[in-house]
Amino acid sequence: MILPIWTFITAFHAADMGKMMNMMLALEVLGGLVIWILGATIWNLIAELFGGRGSAASLFTALGFIHIVRLAIIPLWALVALMPEDSRTFLTVVSMLTVIAWAFYLDFVAIKEVHQLSAAKTVLVMITPLLCLGLLCIIAVIFIGSSLMHMSI
């Protein structure tokens, strides 16, 4: 997790955004750890509810190894830095989306293999937290809208 953070620091320093480095460093380290732990916990619980037979420790380990994929950002950004300036933003976005898609695919494989689920059940395991979050947002909007209708203006 430290090497991609070092890349961010170098990029921000080169872009003369030194004031944001400390905040980005803290967010990257804490955010990465929280997402890793919560992701493994939530996905393990959902996978077990869908009939998965793996262990939480195995899923936690498999998802931890996926952080290695983030190291691919370093050579990609080095190549982007050598490209013409007008294409750097586009290439940076493409390289980041590529690494994110790769990590997402590896998450899929980790859940599928650790819990010995079918591909369809693995997709359900992965999207269930998003569906629950979307449902909570819809409920919150309904409650807020309902309370605003009853307020006198």
Side-chain angles (χ1 to χ4, degrees), residues 77-101:
W77 280 5
L79 289 173
V80 167
L82 299 174
M83 297 297 163
E85 192 167 328
D86 57 340
S87 65
R88 285 184 189 164
T89 303
F90 173 74
L91 292 173
T92 301
V93 170
V94 168
S95 66
M96 289 182 71
L97 289 176
T98 303
V99 170
I100 290 170

Side-chain angles (χ1 to χ4, degrees), residues 48-98:
E48 286 183 4
L49 291 174
F50 280 112
R53 294 183 295 268
S55 69
S58 297
L59 184 61
F60 186 75
T61 303
L63 293 176
F65 281 118
I66 294 170
H67 283 281
I68 295 172
V69 171
R70 295 172 50 200
L71 294 176
I73 290 175
I74 297 169
L76 288 174
W77 280 5
L79 289 173
V80 167
L82 299 174
M83 297 297 163
E85 192 167 328
D86 57 340
S87 65
R88 285 184 189 164
T89 303
F90 173 74
L91 292 173
T92 301
V93 170
V94 168
S95 66
M96 289 182 71
L97 289 176
T98 303

Side-chain angles (χ1 to χ4, degrees), residues 35-54:
I35 288 173
W36 178 25
I37 292 168
L38 285 179
T41 304
I42 291 169
W43 280 340
N44 182 66
L45 174 65
I46 296 169
E48 286 183 4
L49 291 174
F50 280 112
R53 294 183 295 268

